[in-house]
Amino acid sequence: MSTTPRSVLAVGSHPDDIELGCGGTLARHTASGDRVTMLVITHGQSGPGDVGRRISEQEEAAATLGADLVWGDLRDGEVSNHELELVHLIESVIRSVGADVVYTHGVDDTHQDHRAVALATLGAARHCRQVLTYESPSSFGFRPHLFVDITSALDKKTTALGCHRSQVADSRMVDLDVVRDQAGYRGFQSRIGCAEGFVPHRMVLEV
């Protein structure tokens, strides 16, 4: 992690997506003094739990990670690949927070909202120097070749995910034991304790 504070933006389609994909990395960022903002595009209306509960769960999870939270207010399951409004929305948040680093979904994903948000973010972040994509339970063919050591942040990641109680209880996509196992596997791949893996869309190395 950089010793110079940065502005970090993580973009996710639904409540809990960001925590699943890069929650440990965001915890590392906040621990390093970076400003972290989470942009959640929908309220997760199509998943388990009512909207009010999902909103409060996401607010609690963001606070656990020490992140600011911004809502996109689009409708779950109806995010379009051709939604110019979505690109402009993400672009406006990138500008407002002065994002140096952007995390978002990978484009190879079986969930249509995830694919749409991934493509929109890549367009919105076209001037950003560091843009990385994370994996989700609905990713396919995800082959990370950049890893972040989250050994010290794994408990923070699972605590943030645990805030999404409606999903932990009623969705197979949020299984904390599987999340820990995945972190261990990515750590095994990268020769460290526990890790999150990413595919960089753009990554400028400072040398």
Side-chain angles (χ1 to χ4, degrees), residues 6-10 29 98-103 128-132:
R6 294 169 293 178
S7 178
V8 177
L9 176 65
H29 276 296
D100 303 302
V101 185
V102 177
Y103 297 97
C128 296
R129 299 176 67 190
Q130 294 189 23
V131 183
L132 300 98

Side-chain angles (χ1 to χ4, degrees), residues 14 41-42 45-46 74-83 86 111-114 116-117:
H14 314 100
I41 299 299
T42 79
Q45 296 95 328
S46 298
L74 275 69
R75 185 160 186 83
D76 186 1
E78 299 178 12
V79 182
S80 171
N81 283 330
H82 307 290
E83 187 61 72
L86 178 57
H111 197 298
Q112 68 277 9
D113 286 355
H114 294 184
V117 168

Side-chain angles (χ1 to χ4, degrees), residues 162-205:
C163 295
H164 296 277
R165 285 172 282 275
S166 62
Q167 308 311 296
V168 174
D170 298 319
S171 173
R172 294 183 62 191
M173 296 296 188
V174 187
D175 185 317
L176 300 184
D177 288 334
V178 173
V179 167
R180 294 185 188 94
D181 289 343
Q182 182 185 48
Y185 175 64
R186 293 304 184 200
F188 171 77
Q189 286 185 307
S190 53
R191 312 301 189 264
I192 53 182
C194 294
E196 288 173 336
F198 300 91
V199 174
H201 173 71
R202 184 181 301 108
M203 186 74 186
V204 176
L205 293 178

Side-chain angles (χ1 to χ4, degrees), residues 95-155:
R95 284 197 305 266
S96 68
V97 303
D100 303 302
V101 185
V102 177
Y103 297 97
T104 192
H105 293 283
V107 295
D108 294 324
D109 199 293
T110 58
H111 197 298
Q112 68 277 9
D113 286 355
H114 294 184
R115 293 195 304 272
V117 168
L119 291 171
T121 304
L122 298 185
R126 60 194 176 276
H127 299 303
C128 296
R129 299 176 67 190
Q130 294 189 23
V131 183
L132 300 98
T133 63
Y134 56 76
E135 63 185 320
S136 75
S138 52
S139 297
F140 65 91
F142 190 86
R143 298 181 64 185
H145 44 275
L146 185 149
F147 300 87
V148 174
D149 186 344
I150 65 163
T151 307
S152 63
L154 182 58
D155 287 346

Side-chain angles (χ1 to χ4, degrees), residues 46-107:
S46 298
D50 62 70
V51 170
R53 183 177 180 186
R54 297 210 69 183
I55 290 173
S56 64
E57 289 172 348
Q58 183 61 77
E59 290 172 345
E60 184 180 352
T64 297
L65 293 174
D68 297 324
L69 176 62
V70 179
W71 291 100
D73 293 330
L74 275 69
R75 185 160 186 83
D76 186 1
E78 299 178 12
V79 182
S80 171
N81 283 330
H82 307 290
E83 187 61 72
L84 189 59
E85 176 188 357
L86 178 57
V87 177
H88 291 164
L89 165 67
I90 299 170
E91 195 171 30
S92 70
V93 177
I94 289 173
R95 284 197 305 266
S96 68
V97 303
D100 303 302
V101 185
V102 177
Y103 297 97
T104 192
H105 293 283
V107 295

